[in-house]
Amino acid sequence: MPPPLEKARKPAAADAPQNPARQQILNRLKRAEGQLRGLQRMVEEGADCLAIVTQLAAVRRALESTQLRMTRCHLHERMRDDSMAAPPEAIDRILDEMETLLGRVR
């Protein structure tokens, strides 16, 4: 069993807007938020159930895609921090984290 994931360290507020990967993820989340609001409106207005289910599937796919991108971002940060002359156990820990994170997608 892989060791528990370390607490994610919080990037400095000044770093967040400069990181294009995080900005892209934030944009995707905002788009998904808009889709969810649209779904709420559809339910409130009594839209066709099939149309609602179709939109729910689209939101789910968008969130899964965003989760994969966030996982990639995490791995990129970890590999950048740990892989420079990292001992094999550090690389194993990173790969264990990747396996755990990707397992949460489904």
Side-chain angles (χ1 to χ4, degrees), residues 29-45 55-56 59:
L29 289 172
K30 288 178 181 182
R31 206 169 19 242
E33 180 182 26
Q35 286 178 300
L36 285 172
R37 275 196 233 101
L39 274 164
Q40 290 171 349
R41 231 180 352 268
M42 289 174 75
V43 171
E44 289 170 352
E45 294 171 359
Q55 289 304 310
L56 281 169
V59 171

Side-chain angles (χ1 to χ4, degrees), residues 4-53:
L5 296 176
E6 296 173 18
K7 276 197 167 184
R9 45 167 215 231
K10 203 171 182 180
D15 292 342
Q18 296 173 6
N19 185 330
R22 286 182 179 267
Q23 186 59 52
Q24 189 178 63
I25 290 165
L26 184 59
N27 291 343
R28 286 170 169 261
L29 289 172
K30 288 178 181 182
R31 206 169 19 242
E33 180 182 26
Q35 286 178 300
L36 285 172
R37 275 196 233 101
L39 274 164
Q40 290 171 349
R41 231 180 352 268
M42 289 174 75
V43 171
E44 289 170 352
E45 294 171 359
D48 180 63
C49 290
L50 183 58
I52 294 170
V53 169

